[in-house]
Amino acid sequence: MFITNQSGGKRNEDLILPINSSLSVTLHQDQLKTTTTVATSRSFQEDRIWLNGKEEDITHPRLQSCLREIRRLARKRRNDGDSGVDSASLSHKVHICSVNNFPTAAGLASSAAGFACLVYTLARVFGVEGELSGIARQGSGSACRSMYGGFVQWIMGNKEDGKDSLAQQVEPETHWPELRILVLVASAERKPVGSTSGMQTSVKTSCLLKHRAESVVPGRMVEMTEAIRKKDFAAFAELTMKDSNQFHATCLDTYPPIFYLNHVSQQIISLVHRYNKHYGETRVAYTFDAGPNAVIFTLQQHVPEFVHVVQHFFPPETNGADFIKGLPVNCASLSEELKQGIGLEPMPKGINYIISTKAGPGPCVVEDPTQQLLSSDGFPKKMM
């Protein structure tokens, strides 16, 4: 999942309640996904979690919030007389194993995907049904949007208890079939400043963030929703880029300033604007979350040429066989006029690889037993 209209900090850090509403696109699981397996057993001595083959701290407050709320709802259903809840399993400890097929903690919404998948899986195991985005929000704010497919808004809400701060689908993933997303992975490394700590500092110190939340985002949400519903790419693209730019302006307005973008990110921004200027129309748009990796929106017919533009100006280290992942991209030739029109100096090895994808559905059950991450004994099949 990747953000188009950025959330901008929290009005309540414990409940993870935002200071403004936001909108996102859920990406297709065939290209970017988190897979999570949960097992319960009376033989387990304690709750445990493994992420990408390495055991992590299960006592993390946000993990505990999700576990506690799912168990509370399961107990409530049992007490209400629901025979579908296995009362014995409620006292069992859980083992959780989760794997991302894309870089973790690199500004690619891994926490959003991870907590959405975790909450969905826990709900299935404990027989909890109904609205789950409010629980996912307590793990990671962006995770509430990842509970749905397609285009999703996170309604900020006004209640102190956060019960009206929920996600809502704007349009399903089938709404705009021509829309394509290219993830340009400039760095797969862990971010020097985490999203949560960075936003806490911004809320305390950035005057621009307050102005943005109160005066800019409400109107922009309306415009963005309308552009999506009308499939107006030019309007959608301009709003997306302006919103990304302003989000990072609030990072610079933070004291001390936060630098999520690097020189590769800046070169990508320049490339997009020069490409659009060359054609005299907006064909591609960028957005950057809290990291240096670009998410590019474009229409299907422009994918081959723009991918090869990126490959030309960011030549890969090898012959490029693994440079393009995900959905197949057709070959395209670049005219000298286009290369000269963009006119940037190539930046070798600036981009590690591109993931080609599109809008996709929300969490779902994987039926293939070979994809289970835990063995019959409840421990990970693979460890680092």
Side-chain angles (χ1 to χ4, degrees), residues 267-284:
Q267 189 86 334
I268 292 168
I269 290 171
S270 182
L271 176 67
V272 166
H273 284 295
R274 290 177 183 221
Y275 181 81
N276 288 336
K277 184 179 179 181
H278 175 79
Y279 283 107
E281 62 179 7
T282 305
R283 293 191 175 189
V284 293

PDB file of all heavy atoms in Angstrom, residues 267-284:
ATOM      1  N   GLN A 267      16.466  13.617  -8.081  1.00  0.00           N
ATOM      2  CA  GLN A 267      16.663  13.404  -9.516  1.00  0.00           C
ATOM      3  C   GLN A 267      15.420  12.800 -10.156  1.00  0.00           C
ATOM      4  O   GLN A 267      15.056  13.141 -11.290  1.00  0.00           O
ATOM      5  CB  GLN A 267      17.878  12.490  -9.735  1.00  0.00           C
ATOM      6  CG  GLN A 267      18.331  12.361 -11.183  1.00  0.00           C
ATOM      7  CD  GLN A 267      19.286  13.463 -11.593  1.00  0.00           C
ATOM      8  OE1 GLN A 267      19.262  14.551 -11.021  1.00  0.00           O
ATOM      9  NE2 GLN A 267      20.148  13.185 -12.557  1.00  0.00           N
ATOM     10  N   ILE A 268      14.738  11.916  -9.427  1.00  0.00           N
ATOM     11  CA  ILE A 268      13.498  11.311  -9.932  1.00  0.00           C
ATOM     12  C   ILE A 268      12.428  12.392 -10.100  1.00  0.00           C
ATOM     13  O   ILE A 268      11.703  12.430 -11.106  1.00  0.00           O
ATOM     14  CB  ILE A 268      13.006  10.199  -8.981  1.00  0.00           C
ATOM     15  CG1 ILE A 268      13.970   9.011  -8.999  1.00  0.00           C
ATOM     16  CG2 ILE A 268      11.588   9.743  -9.365  1.00  0.00           C
ATOM     17  CD1 ILE A 268      13.736   8.004  -7.890  1.00  0.00           C
ATOM     18  N   ILE A 269      12.315  13.281  -9.124  1.00  0.00           N
ATOM     19  CA  ILE A 269      11.345  14.385  -9.203  1.00  0.00           C
ATOM     20  C   ILE A 269      11.611  15.232 -10.446  1.00  0.00           C
ATOM     21  O   ILE A 269      10.694  15.559 -11.206  1.00  0.00           O
ATOM     22  CB  ILE A 269      11.406  15.239  -7.921  1.00  0.00           C
ATOM     23  CG1 ILE A 269      10.849  14.447  -6.736  1.00  0.00           C
ATOM     24  CG2 ILE A 269      10.643  16.554  -8.101  1.00  0.00           C
ATOM     25  CD1 ILE A 269      11.058  15.103  -5.381  1.00  0.00           C
ATOM     26  N   SER A 270      12.870  15.572 -10.647  1.00  0.00           N
ATOM     27  CA  SER A 270      13.245  16.365 -11.824  1.00  0.00           C
ATOM     28  C   SER A 270      12.933  15.607 -13.116  1.00  0.00           C
ATOM     29  O   SER A 270      12.406  16.182 -14.077  1.00  0.00           O
ATOM     30  CB  SER A 270      14.732  16.712 -11.757  1.00  0.00           C
ATOM     31  OG  SER A 270      15.112  17.510 -12.845  1.00  0.00           O
ATOM     32  N   LEU A 271      13.225  14.319 -13.136  1.00  0.00           N
ATOM     33  CA  LEU A 271      12.965  13.492 -14.317  1.00  0.00           C
ATOM     34  C   LEU A 271      11.483  13.491 -14.670  1.00  0.00           C
ATOM     35  O   LEU A 271      11.106  13.654 -15.846  1.00  0.00           O
ATOM     36  CB  LEU A 271      13.440  12.055 -14.049  1.00  0.00           C
ATOM     37  CG  LEU A 271      13.161  11.021 -15.147  1.00  0.00           C
ATOM     38  CD1 LEU A 271      13.977  11.326 -16.395  1.00  0.00           C
ATOM     39  CD2 LEU A 271      13.468   9.611 -14.648  1.00  0.00           C
ATOM     40  N   VAL A 272      10.621  13.328 -13.681  1.00  0.00           N
ATOM     41  CA  VAL A 272       9.176  13.291 -13.919  1.00  0.00           C
ATOM     42  C   VAL A 272       8.690  14.612 -14.513  1.00  0.00           C
ATOM     43  O   VAL A 272       7.954  14.630 -15.509  1.00  0.00           O
ATOM     44  CB  VAL A 272       8.421  12.967 -12.607  1.00  0.00           C
ATOM     45  CG1 VAL A 272       6.921  13.261 -12.754  1.00  0.00           C
ATOM     46  CG2 VAL A 272       8.635  11.513 -12.220  1.00  0.00           C
ATOM     47  N   HIS A 273       9.116  15.710 -13.935  1.00  0.00           N
ATOM     48  CA  HIS A 273       8.649  17.011 -14.434  1.00  0.00           C
ATOM     49  C   HIS A 273       9.173  17.294 -15.847  1.00  0.00           C
ATOM     50  O   HIS A 273       8.452  17.838 -16.689  1.00  0.00           O
ATOM     51  CB  HIS A 273       9.052  18.117 -13.469  1.00  0.00           C
ATOM     52  CG  HIS A 273       8.206  18.159 -12.229  1.00  0.00           C
ATOM     53  ND1 HIS A 273       6.861  18.463 -12.254  1.00  0.00           N
ATOM     54  CD2 HIS A 273       8.504  17.904 -10.926  1.00  0.00           C
ATOM     55  CE1 HIS A 273       6.369  18.413 -11.019  1.00  0.00           C
ATOM     56  NE2 HIS A 273       7.348  18.084 -10.199  1.00  0.00           N
ATOM     57  N   ARG A 274      10.415  16.922 -16.118  1.00  0.00           N
ATOM     58  CA  ARG A 274      10.966  17.136 -17.461  1.00  0.00           C
ATOM     59  C   ARG A 274      10.293  16.230 -18.491  1.00  0.00           C
ATOM     60  O   ARG A 274      10.066  16.642 -19.635  1.00  0.00           O
ATOM     61  CB  ARG A 274      12.479  16.883 -17.445  1.00  0.00           C
ATOM     62  CG  ARG A 274      13.260  17.952 -16.689  1.00  0.00           C
ATOM     63  CD  ARG A 274      14.742  17.631 -16.639  1.00  0.00           C
ATOM     64  NE  ARG A 274      15.477  18.604 -15.854  1.00  0.00           N
ATOM     65  CZ  ARG A 274      16.673  19.099 -16.177  1.00  0.00           C
ATOM     66  NH1 ARG A 274      17.262  18.690 -17.296  1.00  0.00           N
ATOM     67  NH2 ARG A 274      17.272  19.961 -15.410  1.00  0.00           N
ATOM     68  N   TYR A 275       9.968  15.012 -18.098  1.00  0.00           N
ATOM     69  CA  TYR A 275       9.269  14.078 -18.989  1.00  0.00           C
ATOM     70  C   TYR A 275       7.894  14.639 -19.347  1.00  0.00           C
ATOM     71  O   TYR A 275       7.490  14.669 -20.525  1.00  0.00           O
ATOM     72  CB  TYR A 275       9.147  12.719 -18.302  1.00  0.00           C
ATOM     73  CG  TYR A 275       8.466  11.646 -19.125  1.00  0.00           C
ATOM     74  CD1 TYR A 275       9.162  10.942 -20.102  1.00  0.00           C
ATOM     75  CD2 TYR A 275       7.125  11.329 -18.913  1.00  0.00           C
ATOM     76  CE1 TYR A 275       8.539   9.943 -20.852  1.00  0.00           C
ATOM     77  CE2 TYR A 275       6.489  10.342 -19.650  1.00  0.00           C
ATOM     78  CZ  TYR A 275       7.204   9.651 -20.624  1.00  0.00           C
ATOM     79  OH  TYR A 275       6.582   8.663 -21.365  1.00  0.00           O
ATOM     80  N   ASN A 276       7.155  15.093 -18.333  1.00  0.00           N
ATOM     81  CA  ASN A 276       5.829  15.654 -18.583  1.00  0.00           C
ATOM     82  C   ASN A 276       5.910  16.918 -19.447  1.00  0.00           C
ATOM     83  O   ASN A 276       5.097  17.126 -20.351  1.00  0.00           O
ATOM     84  CB  ASN A 276       5.136  15.981 -17.256  1.00  0.00           C
ATOM     85  CG  ASN A 276       4.695  14.732 -16.512  1.00  0.00           C
ATOM     86  OD1 ASN A 276       4.486  13.679 -17.107  1.00  0.00           O
ATOM     87  ND2 ASN A 276       4.544  14.839 -15.199  1.00  0.00           N
ATOM     88  N   LYS A 277       6.911  17.750 -19.174  1.00  0.00           N
ATOM     89  CA  LYS A 277       7.073  18.991 -19.943  1.00  0.00           C
ATOM     90  C   LYS A 277       7.375  18.686 -21.405  1.00  0.00           C
ATOM     91  O   LYS A 277       6.881  19.376 -22.315  1.00  0.00           O
ATOM     92  CB  LYS A 277       8.197  19.829 -19.333  1.00  0.00           C
ATOM     93  CG  LYS A 277       8.376  21.188 -20.003  1.00  0.00           C
ATOM     94  CD  LYS A 277       9.489  21.993 -19.343  1.00  0.00           C
ATOM     95  CE  LYS A 277       9.665  23.345 -20.036  1.00  0.00           C
ATOM     96  NZ  LYS A 277      10.769  24.138 -19.425  1.00  0.00           N
ATOM     97  N   HIS A 278       8.172  17.644 -21.642  1.00  0.00           N
ATOM     98  CA  HIS A 278       8.517  17.270 -23.013  1.00  0.00           C
ATOM     99  C   HIS A 278       7.258  16.972 -23.831  1.00  0.00           C
ATOM    100  O   HIS A 278       7.174  17.338 -25.013  1.00  0.00           O
ATOM    101  CB  HIS A 278       9.444  16.054 -23.012  1.00  0.00           C
ATOM    102  CG  HIS A 278       9.757  15.525 -24.384  1.00  0.00           C
ATOM    103  ND1 HIS A 278      10.694  16.106 -25.213  1.00  0.00           N
ATOM    104  CD2 HIS A 278       9.232  14.472 -25.080  1.00  0.00           C
ATOM    105  CE1 HIS A 278      10.743  15.437 -26.351  1.00  0.00           C
ATOM    106  NE2 HIS A 278       9.872  14.440 -26.297  1.00  0.00           N
ATOM    107  N   TYR A 279       6.281  16.310 -23.205  1.00  0.00           N
ATOM    108  CA  TYR A 279       5.059  15.938 -23.926  1.00  0.00           C
ATOM    109  C   TYR A 279       3.956  16.984 -23.799  1.00  0.00           C
ATOM    110  O   TYR A 279       2.910  16.867 -24.452  1.00  0.00           O
ATOM    111  CB  TYR A 279       4.551  14.584 -23.432  1.00  0.00           C
ATOM    112  CG  TYR A 279       5.357  13.432 -23.999  1.00  0.00           C
ATOM    113  CD1 TYR A 279       6.246  12.715 -23.203  1.00  0.00           C
ATOM    114  CD2 TYR A 279       5.252  13.086 -25.342  1.00  0.00           C
ATOM    115  CE1 TYR A 279       7.000  11.670 -23.734  1.00  0.00           C
ATOM    116  CE2 TYR A 279       5.992  12.043 -25.886  1.00  0.00           C
ATOM    117  CZ  TYR A 279       6.866  11.347 -25.077  1.00  0.00           C
ATOM    118  OH  TYR A 279       7.613  10.320 -25.602  1.00  0.00           O
ATOM    119  N   GLY A 280       4.177  17.989 -22.962  1.00  0.00           N
ATOM    120  CA  GLY A 280       3.164  19.027 -22.812  1.00  0.00           C
ATOM    121  C   GLY A 280       1.906  18.561 -22.119  1.00  0.00           C
ATOM    122  O   GLY A 280       0.845  19.167 -22.251  1.00  0.00           O
ATOM    123  N   GLU A 281       2.012  17.461 -21.361  1.00  0.00           N
ATOM    124  CA  GLU A 281       0.867  16.949 -20.602  1.00  0.00           C
ATOM    125  C   GLU A 281       1.395  16.098 -19.435  1.00  0.00           C
ATOM    126  O   GLU A 281       2.548  15.653 -19.465  1.00  0.00           O
ATOM    127  CB  GLU A 281      -0.057  16.102 -21.482  1.00  0.00           C
ATOM    128  CG  GLU A 281       0.600  14.863 -22.051  1.00  0.00           C
ATOM    129  CD  GLU A 281      -0.356  14.031 -22.902  1.00  0.00           C
ATOM    130  OE1 GLU A 281      -1.484  14.490 -23.153  1.00  0.00           O
ATOM    131  OE2 GLU A 281       0.028  12.920 -23.304  1.00  0.00           O
ATOM    132  N   THR A 282       0.566  15.887 -18.451  1.00  0.00           N
ATOM    133  CA  THR A 282       0.984  15.110 -17.286  1.00  0.00           C
ATOM    134  C   THR A 282       0.747  13.628 -17.548  1.00  0.00           C
ATOM    135  O   THR A 282      -0.396  13.166 -17.512  1.00  0.00           O
ATOM    136  CB  THR A 282       0.221  15.568 -16.025  1.00  0.00           C
ATOM    137  OG1 THR A 282       0.396  16.970 -15.864  1.00  0.00           O
ATOM    138  CG2 THR A 282       0.749  14.850 -14.788  1.00  0.00           C
ATOM    139  N   ARG A 283       1.827  12.917 -17.810  1.00  0.00           N
ATOM    140  CA  ARG A 283       1.732  11.478 -18.086  1.00  0.00           C
ATOM    141  C   ARG A 283       2.140  10.617 -16.888  1.00  0.00           C
ATOM    142  O   ARG A 283       1.751   9.451 -16.806  1.00  0.00           O
ATOM    143  CB  ARG A 283       2.621  11.106 -19.279  1.00  0.00           C
ATOM    144  CG  ARG A 283       2.137  11.700 -20.587  1.00  0.00           C
ATOM    145  CD  ARG A 283       2.889  11.099 -21.768  1.00  0.00           C
ATOM    146  NE  ARG A 283       2.348  11.568 -23.036  1.00  0.00           N
ATOM    147  CZ  ARG A 283       2.696  11.067 -24.217  1.00  0.00           C
ATOM    148  NH1 ARG A 283       3.607  10.098 -24.293  1.00  0.00           N
ATOM    149  NH2 ARG A 283       2.163  11.542 -25.327  1.00  0.00           N
ATOM    150  N   VAL A 284       2.969  11.165 -16.019  1.00  0.00           N
ATOM    151  CA  VAL A 284       3.432  10.418 -14.853  1.00  0.00           C
ATOM    152  C   VAL A 284       3.396  11.330 -13.628  1.00  0.00           C
ATOM    153  O   VAL A 284       3.460  12.559 -13.746  1.00  0.00           O
ATOM    154  CB  VAL A 284       4.858   9.840 -15.037  1.00  0.00           C
ATOM    155  CG1 VAL A 284       4.886   8.760 -16.090  1.00  0.00           C
ATOM    156  CG2 VAL A 284       5.844  10.946 -15.359  1.00  0.00           C
TER     157      VAL A 284
END
